[in-house]
Amino acid sequence: MRFAVFASGFGSNLQVIIDAVKRKKIRAELALVVSDKKDAFALTRARKAKIKTFVLDPKSFSDRESFDREVVRNLREEKIDFVVLAGFMRILSAYFVREYPHKIINIHPALLPAFVGGHAIRDAFEHGVKMTGVTVHFVDEKVDHGAIIAQGTVEILPKDTLKTLEKKIHRLEHTLYPKAIDLLTRGKLTVKGRKVIVG
Ligand code: GRF
């Protein structure tokens, strides 16, 4: 199985995925890294690992779907079976999601359905919850909404700051995501309505 990782930023999740593929903890080929930001550090990581990259500037497209059509064309050309979003800061169009049904996953830094959106760690921290976490989920046509594959929890202690919480969340992401990707690419995830059956 061949998969692509989509990233717009720092790429710490991409890095652990690269390492997990090398160590055969993910038994699939990371064939492509896609980004909408030409300066993303994630691209530096990909190039260093000699993984093919594909960068597309959203400003060159009139709307979301035409951007996504170009992305999908490239995914087909590269024979990509699965798409892994890792800090990709764009919402995918319905067109894209329909082209890869139950083949696109995302990692979200909160316990969905709580704290959707782009500032989930901060929102959870400011809300004063005692427990937050990380969710790996399939991508559907609504934001941060698809069927949940895996979750892990993180306790927020009185001594925690936003910084220490961010660290804990990222540490958890880095163990949870490679495991979920391995299950996905080995065909071990079955979706029944909103439920994901593992095995
Ligand atoms: C992660 O916190 C992930 O949950 C969110 O975006 C962040 C990406 O971080 N979707 P990185 O670029 O992988 O370091």
Side-chain angles (χ1 to χ4, degrees):
M1 288 294 167
R2 287 162 65 81
F3 71 102
V5 172
F6 283 41
S8 305
F10 185 54
S12 69
N13 280 284
L14 170 65
Q15 190 62 56
V16 295
I17 295 165
I18 290 171
D19 297 344
V21 170
K22 248 189 223 150
R23 293 198 198 105
K24 303 206 179 336
K25 299 267 185 223
I26 295 174
R27 287 156 276 185
E29 189 184 344
L30 172 47
L32 187 68
V33 170
V34 176
S35 187
D36 58 331
K37 296 261 186 314
K38 66 175 181 358
D39 300 324
F41 188 61
L43 288 169
T44 308
R45 297 180 191 270
R47 288 180 192 125
K48 195 165 169 224
K50 302 206 174 358
I51 298 161
K52 196 164 182 179
T53 59
F54 178 57
V55 186
L56 211 51
D57 182 0
K59 283 194 222 91
S60 320
F61 296 85
S62 56
D63 56 30
R64 195 180 297 283
E65 188 170 318
S66 45
F67 177 93
D68 282 1
R69 279 189 184 275
E70 185 60 16
V71 172
V72 167
R73 208 180 55 73
N74 266 269
L75 296 180
R76 297 256 182 262
E77 221 170 81
E78 295 294 332
K79 302 200 169 12
I80 298 298
D81 302 295
F82 295 98
V83 170
V84 170
L85 306 182
F88 189 60
M89 297 314 284
R90 281 177 67 80
I91 295 166
L92 305 191
S93 63
Y95 159 76
F96 192 162
V97 175
R98 282 188 211 128
E99 288 294 304
Y100 286 85
H102 298 139
K103 290 186 170 172
I104 309 172
I105 63 171
N106 182 43
I107 188 156
H108 183 75
L111 289 175
L112 291 176
F115 304 114
V116 299
H119 305 283
I121 305 177
R122 192 187 70 198
D123 292 347
F125 184 75
E126 285 177 356
H127 195 91
V129 293
K130 306 289 185 202
M131 197 71 94
T132 182
V134 170
T135 304
V136 179
H137 65 95
F138 281 106
V139 172
D140 68 8
E141 293 178 26
K142 293 185 198 150
V143 176
D144 298 333
H145 175 269
I148 291 173
I149 298 165
Q151 287 185 308
T153 56
V154 165
E155 208 178 336
I156 304 181
L157 302 170
K159 64 171 190 220
D160 271 317
T161 61
L162 181 55
K163 267 236 146 58
T164 63
L165 177 61
E166 280 169 353
K167 256 205 186 124
K168 289 201 250 185
I169 291 281
H170 293 313
R171 209 177 305 136
L172 177 58
E173 288 184 336
H174 296 165
T175 59
L176 206 61
Y177 216 12
K179 284 185 198 153
I181 295 165
D182 187 53
L183 290 172
L184 173 79
T185 53
R186 287 195 301 126
K188 301 282 184 196
L189 303 176
T190 311
V191 189
K192 291 225 162 86
R194 286 212 51 87
K195 302 257 162 66
V196 178
I197 296 140
V198 180

